[in-house]
mmCIF file of all heavy atoms in Angstrom:
data_model
loop_
_atom_site.group_PDB
_atom_site.id
_atom_site.type_symbol
_atom_site.label_atom_id
_atom_site.label_comp_id
_atom_site.label_asym_id
_atom_site.label_seq_id
_atom_site.Cartn_x
_atom_site.Cartn_y
_atom_site.Cartn_z
ATOM 1 N N MET A 1 142.669 186.521 48.276
ATOM 2 C CA MET A 1 142.872 185.361 49.099
ATOM 3 C C MET A 1 144.233 184.780 48.842
ATOM 4 O O MET A 1 144.644 184.658 47.678
ATOM 5 C CB MET A 1 141.760 184.380 48.728
ATOM 6 C CG MET A 1 142.061 182.952 49.064
ATOM 7 S SD MET A 1 140.718 181.789 48.620
ATOM 8 C CE MET A 1 139.763 182.595 47.424
ATOM 9 N N ARG A 2 145.001 184.615 49.882
ATOM 10 C CA ARG A 2 146.353 183.998 49.744
ATOM 11 C C ARG A 2 146.335 182.493 49.570
ATOM 12 O O ARG A 2 145.458 181.801 50.100
ATOM 13 C CB ARG A 2 147.179 184.324 50.984
ATOM 14 C CG ARG A 2 148.504 184.821 50.582
ATOM 15 C CD ARG A 2 149.380 185.187 51.801
ATOM 16 N NE ARG A 2 150.347 184.165 51.852
ATOM 17 C CZ ARG A 2 150.779 183.585 52.934
ATOM 18 N NH1 ARG A 2 150.349 183.952 54.078
ATOM 19 N NH2 ARG A 2 151.676 182.699 52.908
ATOM 20 N N THR A 3 147.250 182.012 48.798
ATOM 21 C CA THR A 3 147.332 180.570 48.600
ATOM 22 C C THR A 3 148.556 180.074 49.366
ATOM 23 O O THR A 3 149.395 180.789 49.756
ATOM 24 C CB THR A 3 147.519 180.272 47.058
ATOM 25 O OG1 THR A 3 148.738 180.881 46.630
ATOM 26 C CG2 THR A 3 146.331 180.762 46.305
ATOM 27 N N ALA A 4 148.565 178.708 49.508
ATOM 28 C CA ALA A 4 149.641 178.051 50.199
ATOM 29 C C ALA A 4 150.810 177.802 49.248
ATOM 30 O O ALA A 4 151.013 176.740 48.717
ATOM 31 C CB ALA A 4 149.149 176.746 50.784
ATOM 32 N N ARG A 5 151.598 178.855 48.974
ATOM 33 C CA ARG A 5 152.647 178.703 47.977
ATOM 34 C C ARG A 5 154.020 178.475 48.657
ATOM 35 O O ARG A 5 154.916 178.014 48.020
ATOM 36 C CB ARG A 5 152.734 179.978 47.187
ATOM 37 C CG ARG A 5 151.437 180.213 46.407
ATOM 38 C CD ARG A 5 151.678 180.368 44.957
ATOM 39 N NE ARG A 5 150.473 180.744 44.285
ATOM 40 C CZ ARG A 5 149.766 179.954 43.587
ATOM 41 N NH1 ARG A 5 150.113 178.694 43.455
ATOM 42 N NH2 ARG A 5 148.672 180.337 42.953
ATOM 43 N N ARG A 6 154.137 178.837 49.897
ATOM 44 C CA ARG A 6 155.433 178.666 50.569
ATOM 45 C C ARG A 6 155.571 177.201 50.991
ATOM 46 O O ARG A 6 154.625 176.549 51.285
ATOM 47 C CB ARG A 6 155.504 179.582 51.829
ATOM 48 C CG ARG A 6 155.571 181.005 51.475
ATOM 49 C CD ARG A 6 155.796 181.806 52.721
ATOM 50 N NE ARG A 6 155.036 183.050 52.669
ATOM 51 C CZ ARG A 6 154.730 183.786 53.640
ATOM 52 N NH1 ARG A 6 155.122 183.459 54.844
ATOM 53 N NH2 ARG A 6 154.088 184.874 53.579
ATOM 54 N N GLY A 7 156.789 176.756 51.096
ATOM 55 C CA GLY A 7 157.054 175.441 51.565
ATOM 56 C C GLY A 7 156.533 175.201 52.973
ATOM 57 O O GLY A 7 156.663 176.097 53.797
ATOM 58 N N GLY A 8 155.930 174.098 53.227
ATOM 59 C CA GLY A 8 155.441 173.755 54.548
ATOM 60 C C GLY A 8 154.135 174.383 54.923
ATOM 61 O O GLY A 8 153.708 174.267 56.024
ATOM 62 N N GLU A 9 153.476 175.077 54.013
ATOM 63 C CA GLU A 9 152.161 175.682 54.315
ATOM 64 C C GLU A 9 151.016 174.843 53.786
ATOM 65 O O GLU A 9 151.135 174.155 52.796
ATOM 66 C CB GLU A 9 152.052 177.080 53.641
ATOM 67 C CG GLU A 9 152.655 178.157 54.395
ATOM 68 C CD GLU A 9 152.307 179.566 53.742
ATOM 69 O OE1 GLU A 9 151.897 179.618 52.627
ATOM 70 O OE2 GLU A 9 152.464 180.520 54.478
ATOM 71 N N ILE A 10 149.892 174.945 54.530
ATOM 72 C CA ILE A 10 148.672 174.427 53.959
ATOM 73 C C ILE A 10 147.569 175.534 53.975
ATOM 74 O O ILE A 10 147.744 176.492 54.803
ATOM 75 C CB ILE A 10 148.159 173.204 54.729
ATOM 76 C CG1 ILE A 10 147.709 173.588 56.198
ATOM 77 C CG2 ILE A 10 149.135 172.084 54.735
ATOM 78 C CD1 ILE A 10 146.991 172.510 56.953
ATOM 79 N N ARG A 11 146.619 175.437 53.129
ATOM 80 C CA ARG A 11 145.463 176.313 53.194
ATOM 81 C C ARG A 11 144.285 175.490 53.543
ATOM 82 O O ARG A 11 144.089 174.408 53.011
ATOM 83 C CB ARG A 11 145.238 177.074 51.910
ATOM 84 C CG ARG A 11 144.168 178.111 52.030
ATOM 85 C CD ARG A 11 143.976 178.906 50.777
ATOM 86 N NE ARG A 11 143.256 178.180 49.790
ATOM 87 C CZ ARG A 11 142.838 178.633 48.606
ATOM 88 N NH1 ARG A 11 143.112 179.883 48.292
ATOM 89 N NH2 ARG A 11 142.198 177.882 47.745
ATOM 90 N N VAL A 12 143.439 175.984 54.439
ATOM 91 C CA VAL A 12 142.267 175.251 54.912
ATOM 92 C C VAL A 12 140.981 175.984 54.528
ATOM 93 O O VAL A 12 140.867 177.209 54.768
ATOM 94 C CB VAL A 12 142.328 175.093 56.437
ATOM 95 C CG1 VAL A 12 141.104 174.451 56.982
ATOM 96 C CG2 VAL A 12 143.577 174.283 56.856
ATOM 97 N N ALA A 13 140.085 175.309 53.896
ATOM 98 C CA ALA A 13 138.744 175.821 53.719
ATOM 99 C C ALA A 13 138.005 175.695 55.025
ATOM 100 O O ALA A 13 137.732 174.599 55.529
ATOM 101 C CB ALA A 13 138.015 175.044 52.616
ATOM 102 N N VAL A 14 137.812 176.801 55.715
ATOM 103 C CA VAL A 14 137.315 176.842 57.048
ATOM 104 C C VAL A 14 135.858 176.413 57.175
ATOM 105 O O VAL A 14 135.019 176.897 56.446
ATOM 106 C CB VAL A 14 137.487 178.239 57.683
ATOM 107 C CG1 VAL A 14 136.866 178.316 59.105
ATOM 108 C CG2 VAL A 14 138.972 178.630 57.717
ATOM 109 N N ARG A 15 135.568 175.471 58.105
ATOM 110 C CA ARG A 15 134.209 175.027 58.343
ATOM 111 C C ARG A 15 133.797 175.507 59.751
ATOM 112 O O ARG A 15 132.606 175.665 60.025
ATOM 113 C CB ARG A 15 134.127 173.504 58.331
ATOM 114 C CG ARG A 15 134.535 172.923 56.982
ATOM 115 C CD ARG A 15 133.518 173.333 55.867
ATOM 116 N NE ARG A 15 133.822 172.675 54.625
ATOM 117 C CZ ARG A 15 134.398 173.287 53.616
ATOM 118 N NH1 ARG A 15 134.751 174.533 53.652
ATOM 119 N NH2 ARG A 15 134.624 172.660 52.497
ATOM 120 N N ALA A 16 134.733 175.782 60.618
ATOM 121 C CA ALA A 16 134.413 176.287 61.969
ATOM 122 C C ALA A 16 135.634 177.074 62.511
ATOM 123 O O ALA A 16 136.753 176.695 62.264
ATOM 124 C CB ALA A 16 134.113 175.119 62.912
ATOM 125 N N SER A 17 135.368 178.099 63.257
ATOM 126 C CA SER A 17 136.397 178.877 63.950
ATOM 127 C C SER A 17 135.766 179.515 65.173
ATOM 128 O O SER A 17 134.546 179.534 65.320
ATOM 129 C CB SER A 17 137.018 179.968 63.042
ATOM 130 O OG SER A 17 136.029 180.862 62.652
ATOM 131 N N SER A 18 136.616 180.016 66.077
ATOM 132 C CA SER A 18 136.097 180.594 67.295
ATOM 133 C C SER A 18 136.270 182.109 67.287
ATOM 134 O O SER A 18 137.079 182.662 66.528
ATOM 135 C CB SER A 18 136.773 179.985 68.518
ATOM 136 O OG SER A 18 138.156 180.401 68.566
ATOM 137 N N LEU A 19 135.495 182.781 68.115
ATOM 138 C CA LEU A 19 135.635 184.185 68.381
ATOM 139 C C LEU A 19 135.636 184.373 69.876
ATOM 140 O O LEU A 19 134.584 184.429 70.504
ATOM 141 C CB LEU A 19 134.510 184.940 67.736
ATOM 142 C CG LEU A 19 134.635 186.512 67.789
ATOM 143 C CD1 LEU A 19 135.950 186.967 67.166
ATOM 144 C CD2 LEU A 19 133.458 187.154 67.163
ATOM 145 N N PRO A 20 136.816 184.327 70.513
ATOM 146 C CA PRO A 20 136.899 184.358 71.987
ATOM 147 C C PRO A 20 136.390 185.725 72.469
ATOM 148 O O PRO A 20 136.421 186.744 71.761
ATOM 149 C CB PRO A 20 138.397 184.203 72.273
ATOM 150 C CG PRO A 20 139.036 183.808 71.004
ATOM 151 C CD PRO A 20 138.138 184.186 69.898
ATOM 152 N N PRO A 21 136.043 185.744 73.833
ATOM 153 C CA PRO A 21 135.522 186.995 74.392
ATOM 154 C C PRO A 21 136.491 188.157 74.275
ATOM 155 O O PRO A 21 136.116 189.318 74.075
ATOM 156 C CB PRO A 21 135.302 186.598 75.869
ATOM 157 C CG PRO A 21 135.105 185.136 75.845
ATOM 158 C CD PRO A 21 135.917 184.624 74.701
ATOM 159 N N GLY A 22 137.835 187.892 74.428
ATOM 160 C CA GLY A 22 138.788 188.984 74.261
ATOM 161 C C GLY A 22 138.718 189.638 72.941
ATOM 162 O O GLY A 22 138.839 190.918 72.831
ATOM 163 N N GLU A 23 138.590 188.869 71.865
ATOM 164 C CA GLU A 23 138.435 189.455 70.525
ATOM 165 C C GLU A 23 137.152 190.229 70.296
ATOM 166 O O GLU A 23 137.103 191.201 69.686
ATOM 167 C CB GLU A 23 138.654 188.398 69.441
ATOM 168 C CG GLU A 23 140.084 187.933 69.381
ATOM 169 C CD GLU A 23 140.341 187.074 68.134
ATOM 170 O OE1 GLU A 23 139.473 186.993 67.255
ATOM 171 O OE2 GLU A 23 141.391 186.512 68.058
ATOM 172 N N MET A 24 136.098 189.755 70.961
ATOM 173 C CA MET A 24 134.791 190.458 70.862
ATOM 174 C C MET A 24 134.947 191.834 71.554
ATOM 175 O O MET A 24 134.408 192.803 71.074
ATOM 176 C CB MET A 24 133.684 189.630 71.493
ATOM 177 C CG MET A 24 133.253 188.443 70.668
ATOM 178 S SD MET A 24 131.799 187.618 71.203
ATOM 179 C CE MET A 24 132.308 186.912 72.785
ATOM 180 N N MET A 25 135.703 191.844 72.655
ATOM 181 C CA MET A 25 135.947 193.147 73.345
ATOM 182 C C MET A 25 136.743 194.075 72.480
ATOM 183 O O MET A 25 136.564 195.291 72.499
ATOM 184 C CB MET A 25 136.579 192.899 74.714
ATOM 185 C CG MET A 25 135.681 192.277 75.731
ATOM 186 S SD MET A 25 136.616 192.110 77.266
ATOM 187 C CE MET A 25 135.479 191.203 78.255
ATOM 188 N N ILE A 26 137.715 193.530 71.766
ATOM 189 C CA ILE A 26 138.552 194.413 70.873
ATOM 190 C C ILE A 26 137.628 194.941 69.832
ATOM 191 O O ILE A 26 137.666 196.120 69.499
ATOM 192 C CB ILE A 26 139.739 193.553 70.283
ATOM 193 C CG1 ILE A 26 140.780 193.256 71.338
ATOM 194 C CG2 ILE A 26 140.309 194.313 69.077
ATOM 195 C CD1 ILE A 26 141.869 192.331 70.885
ATOM 196 N N ARG A 27 136.775 194.118 69.184
ATOM 197 C CA ARG A 27 135.910 194.555 68.082
ATOM 198 C C ARG A 27 134.886 195.633 68.614
ATOM 199 O O ARG A 27 134.506 196.445 67.855
ATOM 200 C CB ARG A 27 135.135 193.385 67.528
ATOM 201 C CG ARG A 27 136.012 192.358 66.866
ATOM 202 C CD ARG A 27 136.626 192.776 65.623
ATOM 203 N NE ARG A 27 135.719 192.836 64.539
ATOM 204 C CZ ARG A 27 136.040 193.280 63.368
ATOM 205 N NH1 ARG A 27 137.264 193.669 63.083
ATOM 206 N NH2 ARG A 27 135.192 193.341 62.386
ATOM 207 N N SER A 28 134.487 195.517 69.863
ATOM 208 C CA SER A 28 133.525 196.467 70.374
ATOM 209 C C SER A 28 134.180 197.686 71.023
ATOM 210 O O SER A 28 133.488 198.523 71.557
ATOM 211 C CB SER A 28 132.586 195.784 71.435
ATOM 212 O OG SER A 28 133.366 195.426 72.562
ATOM 213 N N TRP A 29 135.490 197.781 70.975
ATOM 214 C CA TRP A 29 136.278 198.873 71.530
ATOM 215 C C TRP A 29 136.338 198.899 73.048
ATOM 216 O O TRP A 29 136.840 199.798 73.642
ATOM 217 C CB TRP A 29 135.780 200.224 71.018
ATOM 218 C CG TRP A 29 136.092 200.446 69.616
ATOM 219 C CD1 TRP A 29 135.317 200.190 68.500
ATOM 220 C CD2 TRP A 29 137.282 201.002 69.048
ATOM 221 N NE1 TRP A 29 135.847 200.514 67.364
ATOM 222 C CE2 TRP A 29 137.133 201.037 67.631
ATOM 223 C CE3 TRP A 29 138.478 201.443 69.601
ATOM 224 C CZ2 TRP A 29 138.108 201.506 66.799
ATOM 225 C CZ3 TRP A 29 139.470 201.905 68.715
ATOM 226 C CH2 TRP A 29 139.263 201.908 67.344
ATOM 227 N N ARG A 30 135.829 197.850 73.741
ATOM 228 C CA ARG A 30 135.856 197.858 75.170
ATOM 229 C C ARG A 30 137.271 197.617 75.744
ATOM 230 O O ARG A 30 137.527 197.863 76.862
ATOM 231 C CB ARG A 30 134.919 196.808 75.782
ATOM 232 C CG ARG A 30 133.432 197.220 75.630
ATOM 233 C CD ARG A 30 132.555 196.318 76.276
ATOM 234 N NE ARG A 30 132.382 195.167 75.328
ATOM 235 C CZ ARG A 30 131.770 194.040 75.622
ATOM 236 N NH1 ARG A 30 131.222 193.872 76.840
ATOM 237 N NH2 ARG A 30 131.608 193.104 74.760
ATOM 238 N N ARG A 31 138.195 197.156 74.876
ATOM 239 C CA ARG A 31 139.584 196.933 75.355
ATOM 240 C C ARG A 31 140.549 197.851 74.643
ATOM 241 O O ARG A 31 141.700 197.504 74.527
ATOM 242 C CB ARG A 31 139.972 195.481 75.121
ATOM 243 C CG ARG A 31 139.144 194.576 75.981
ATOM 244 C CD ARG A 31 139.672 193.138 76.013
ATOM 245 N NE ARG A 31 140.930 193.128 76.751
ATOM 246 C CZ ARG A 31 141.826 192.127 76.665
ATOM 247 N NH1 ARG A 31 141.540 191.091 75.949
ATOM 248 N NH2 ARG A 31 142.963 192.152 77.318
ATOM 249 N N ARG A 32 140.100 198.978 74.193
ATOM 250 C CA ARG A 32 141.003 199.798 73.394
ATOM 251 C C ARG A 32 142.221 200.297 74.180
ATOM 252 O O ARG A 32 143.215 200.600 73.576
ATOM 253 C CB ARG A 32 140.215 200.952 72.766
ATOM 254 C CG ARG A 32 139.762 201.996 73.747
ATOM 255 C CD ARG A 32 138.967 203.132 73.065
ATOM 256 N NE ARG A 32 137.775 203.309 73.879
ATOM 257 C CZ ARG A 32 136.573 203.467 73.382
ATOM 258 N NH1 ARG A 32 136.385 203.458 72.158
ATOM 259 N NH2 ARG A 32 135.576 203.616 74.149
ATOM 260 N N GLN A 33 142.132 200.416 75.487
ATOM 261 C CA GLN A 33 143.264 200.827 76.323
ATOM 262 C C GLN A 33 144.313 199.713 76.396
ATOM 263 O O GLN A 33 145.495 199.925 76.304
ATOM 264 C CB GLN A 33 142.812 201.259 77.709
ATOM 265 C CG GLN A 33 141.871 202.443 77.746
ATOM 266 C CD GLN A 33 142.487 203.658 77.054
ATOM 267 O OE1 GLN A 33 143.649 203.935 77.273
ATOM 268 N NE2 GLN A 33 141.634 204.403 76.338
ATOM 269 N N GLN A 34 143.858 198.462 76.614
ATOM 270 C CA GLN A 34 144.770 197.345 76.753
ATOM 271 C C GLN A 34 145.304 196.843 75.479
ATOM 272 O O GLN A 34 146.344 196.261 75.353
ATOM 273 C CB GLN A 34 144.084 196.176 77.485
ATOM 274 C CG GLN A 34 143.640 196.481 78.904
ATOM 275 C CD GLN A 34 142.131 197.006 78.883
ATOM 276 O OE1 GLN A 34 141.568 197.256 77.863
ATOM 277 N NE2 GLN A 34 141.585 197.031 80.041
ATOM 278 N N ALA A 35 144.463 196.939 74.363
ATOM 279 C CA ALA A 35 144.848 196.360 73.057
ATOM 280 C C ALA A 35 144.485 197.309 71.950
ATOM 281 O O ALA A 35 143.502 197.145 71.282
ATOM 282 C CB ALA A 35 144.127 195.053 72.891
ATOM 283 N N PRO A 36 145.283 198.372 71.806
ATOM 284 C CA PRO A 36 145.001 199.330 70.786
ATOM 285 C C PRO A 36 145.045 198.600 69.394
ATOM 286 O O PRO A 36 145.983 197.862 69.138
ATOM 287 C CB PRO A 36 146.076 200.368 70.853
ATOM 288 C CG PRO A 36 147.040 199.877 71.847
ATOM 289 C CD PRO A 36 146.505 198.683 72.532
#
């Protein structure tokens, strides 16, 4: 796990994040031609 050591950086303990449909398609290989 990387820490916020560089100037101007913060590290966030994530409580919520999104997984958009485009990324789900990448994970399922349905967009392998458009996004290798």
Side-chain angles (χ1 to χ4, degrees):
M1 159 181 19
R2 225 180 109 219
T3 60
R5 301 235 187 258
R6 293 188 217 160
E9 277 189 341
I10 65 170
R11 187 175 76 173
V12 175
V14 175
R15 301 294 185 255
S17 63
S18 69
L19 185 59
E23 287 192 10
M24 289 190 292
M25 289 182 186
I26 289 171
R27 298 290 287 176
S28 68
W29 288 93
R30 286 184 282 173
R31 294 192 70 195
R32 71 180 131 225
Q33 299 300 322
Q34 299 93 347

